[in-house]
Amino acid sequence: MKNDSKTSSSALFPSECRMRKISYKGKLMVTMNWSLNGKVQDIIEDIVGDIPIMVKSARCNIEKLSRTELIRHKEDEEEFGGYFIMNGNEYLIRKLIAQRRNYVRLL
């Protein structure tokens, strides 16, 4: 993160996002390179936007915190994660699988 008047370099935690009504997200950086006749011509790195971070995922700041550290950061000590925080609200993405009905198929 850049350190200017709008951003800070301190870590952002999910509880702070809930209280401030902001999204828990990170920068999405893309690295592209192109080659001509097997020689790399140019490498381009650019930030293309923001992407939500799932709580307790590998990119989350509370992933490896102990119970006492979770409490210090105003999180539940039994935090299970698996959800996103957008504009201070928690969102869960569910995958619904509809079972296929049994039916007779003639060949």
Side-chain angles (χ1 to χ4, degrees):
M1 284 184 157
K2 289 193 308 187
N3 195 5
D4 58 24
S5 62
K6 293 184 181 179
T7 61
S8 65
S9 60
S10 64
L12 184 65
F13 291 96
S15 60
E16 184 181 353
C17 291
R18 287 186 205 98
M19 287 187 280
R20 293 175 53 195
K21 303 285 186 205
I22 60 174
S23 298
Y24 189 57
K25 59 188 176 182
K27 300 286 184 197
L28 179 62
M29 178 178 276
V30 174
T31 303
M32 299 181 293
N33 61 30
W34 64 279
S35 60
L36 182 63
N37 297 329
K39 290 185 80 177
V40 175
Q41 300 296 316
D42 195 13
I43 298 175
I44 302 167
E45 288 187 351
D46 196 15
I47 296 174
V48 294
D50 295 327
I51 187 166
I53 296 175
M54 184 186 297
V55 176
K56 290 289 269 198
S57 68
R59 298 287 180 196
C60 182
N61 290 328
I62 65 168
E63 176 200 14
K64 296 185 182 194
L65 297 183
S66 68
R67 288 178 176 225
T68 55
E69 290 172 321
L70 285 170
I71 293 170
R72 189 173 345 124
H73 290 290
K74 299 178 182 138
E75 295 291 339
D76 184 20
E77 65 182 85
E78 301 286 329
E79 181 64 61
F80 58 89
Y83 57 90
F84 300 92
I85 300 173
M86 302 299 294
N87 298 327
N89 298 316
E90 297 175 356
Y91 290 94
L92 181 66
I93 297 175
R94 297 187 330 182
K95 180 179 177 184
L96 299 176
I97 301 173
Q99 291 185 350
R100 191 173 185 182
R101 294 182 181 212
N102 293 331
Y103 61 94
V104 179
R105 181 185 247 182
L106 297 175
L107 297 175

